[in-house]
Amino acid sequence: MDVTITVNGVRYQRDIEPRMLLVHFLRDELGLTGTHWGCDTSNCGTCVVLIDGEPVKSCTTLAAMTSGHEVRTVEGLEREGELDPVQQGFMEEHGLQCGFCTPGMLLTARALLDRSPDPAPDEIREAISGQLCRCTGYATIVRSVRWAAEHGDGAGTAPVAAEQEVGS
Amino acid sequence: MQVPAPFDYERASSVDHALRLLDQHGEDARLIAGGHSLLPMMKLRLVRPNVVIDINDCVDLDYIIEDRDVLRIGALTRHATLLASDTVARLAPMITDAERVIADPVVRNRGTIGGSLCQADPGEDLTTVCDAMFADIVIRGRDGPRTIPMADFHRGPYETAVEPDEMLTEIRIPLRPGAGSAYEKVERRVGDWAIAAVGAVVWMDNGTIDDVGIGLTAVGLEGVATRAQDAVRGHAPDDDLYAQAGRLAASQSDPIDDQRGSAAYKRHLTAELTSRALRRAVERSQGR
């Protein structure tokens, strides 16, 4: 079947099997391997991407279901060589060790800050509670997201606003 | 790698369209909304539909409406929407309690109340909520809608009164004065199914429990604690009554030993959580 999916602002048309999961569409059809493929059972959360701005586990979403929708992956966080504040925060506060969970964590953090620009640590923990990290014990991830909240150009620049800045 | 077996994909633009597609494809078709129950089962070949009908475009099924003495919830309403709803928290806080502990925040962005009910997993939380609150279920077929009480909705594990050419469209929670409700769940970790959970609603009148609903999750196929309900109805609530209700709910539960815990532990939880849920429901009915 034909699908048209906008990923990181680029429209892609592909002929795919209806059973193709979004995570495999991103990785295998588009070569966007930043989205990691983990447990396959919607438990670990490393495959989290944003669909129309909301975090979703892409191993449990059919690519066909996102046809006509906008997907944002970790590759879409950086703008013109400038890291998103959440990416910078993970660097500054050592929010990762092995990095396997990181793409999902970054996107959930981005969506959280878009909704709630100054989240308390408990709010951050709640937001990432559907995602597993086996290195950090989560403490540095929480600090990383706080760093992004405090340094995000007015705490949590909305992606739309960032896009306009790039375009101007 | 877990992928479902091949199937054809259809996207329904409206409820009528979805019903036409169901009629056309018969028993081989399945509706998909959030997909967070159906897709895992399809990956494991526990379900193998030939046609998957995507109803995510049926946005007119995504609503929460306070309609006089009924709280009407559209089948496509997401868990995240229910959790965030002030209307739900005010009128039926048991739903808010349950939504906070259903799956995890990311899954809640996709999963729907209609999907949860139609999945009919014996360990599913919203089934208990709807049982306890005496909800009515609106099911639409080609000949129009029919409404059945929650008591008639489940035919057994993973089996409901929704026929292959029908779809669940609305959940109707009756609203009566003096209500208070709560849901208490113990789980091993975020996102897991309940080890045990209990939902309770009371309708108070002059300091006594005029009517009550108590639902049980994951402790046997009997989802309503009728003995406990009978014991508290008409009485003024106190600690002894809560404890008695707990004992009766536990006696009516029929849990099994599994990786989540022993049957004895689950029975203990059933008693304790029944007491807690009732106490909290009563407190809420009094605005505490």
Side-chain angles (χ1 to χ4, degrees), chain B residues 85-98:
Chain B
S85 165
D86 292 336
T87 304
V88 169
R90 178 169 50 85
L91 299 173
M94 190 201 305
I95 298 177
T96 310
D97 290 347

Side-chain angles (χ1 to χ4, degrees), chain A residues 14-141:
Chain A
R14 289 289 189 278
D15 180 17
I16 61 165
E17 268 196 283
R19 63 172 169 165
M20 177 173 272
L21 299 164
L22 180 59
V23 64
H24 301 308
F25 178 81
L26 296 169
R27 291 176 57 87
D28 303 339
E29 289 290 320
L30 306 187
L32 295 172
T33 53
T35 300
H36 287 170
W37 168 41
C39 70
D40 248 343
T41 58
S42 71
N43 279 290
C44 80
T46 192
C47 68
V48 166
V49 299
L50 306 187
I51 299 178
D52 299 334
E54 282 196 336
V56 170
K57 293 179 176 178
S58 63
C59 76
T60 310
T61 306
L62 299 173
M65 294 166 78
T66 61
S67 189
H69 294 269
E70 298 208 7
V71 176
R72 195 169 177 205
T73 70
V74 68
E75 288 92 343
L77 284 176
E78 178 202 318
R79 308 261 181 201
E80 307 273 304
E82 187 106 350
L83 291 180
D84 187 279
V86 295
Q87 292 174 303
Q88 192 68 36
F90 271 64
M91 280 178 59
E92 301 289 341
E93 299 290 343
H94 310 286
L96 65 147
Q97 183 176 315
C98 86
F100 191 70
C101 72
T102 311
M105 291 288 182
L106 290 172
L107 288 158
T108 299
R110 181 69 268 156
L112 170 66
L113 293 174
D114 289 344
R115 191 179 73 239
S116 174
D118 189 24
D122 279 354
E123 197 180 345
I124 298 168
R125 285 181 182 275
E126 164 69 14
I128 61 169
S129 61
Q131 290 161 252
L132 299 176
C133 172
R134 284 294 172 257
C135 300
T136 63
Y138 305 99
T140 54
I141 293 179

Side-chain angles (χ1 to χ4, degrees), chain A residues 19 40 55 57 59 64 126, chain B residues 2 4 11 43 104 108-109:
Chain A
R19 63 172 169 165
D40 248 343
K57 293 179 176 178
C59 76
E126 164 69 14
Chain B
Q2 291 186 14
R11 193 181 281 201
K43 288 177 177 185
D104 63 58
R108 289 197 293 264
N109 283 336

Side-chain angles (χ1 to χ4, degrees), chain B residues 40-78:
Chain B
M41 292 187 84
M42 287 170 64
K43 288 177 177 185
L44 297 170
R45 306 297 191 274
L46 295 171
V47 190
R48 200 174 161 171
N50 287 342
V51 181
V52 168
I53 302 168
D54 183 349
I55 56 167
N56 283 287
D57 285 355
C58 302
V59 288
D60 52 343
L61 285 184
D62 182 357
Y63 58 82
I64 297 166
I65 299 170
E66 181 181 359
D67 186 0
R68 293 189 302 276
D69 54 356
V70 179
L71 176 62
R72 295 170 50 208
I73 301 171
L76 198 67
T77 308
R78 312 277 168 191

Side-chain angles (χ1 to χ4, degrees), chain B residues 110-122:
Chain B
R110 293 296 282 179
T112 64
I113 184 170
S116 289
L117 292 178
C118 288
Q119 176 77 3
D121 190 296

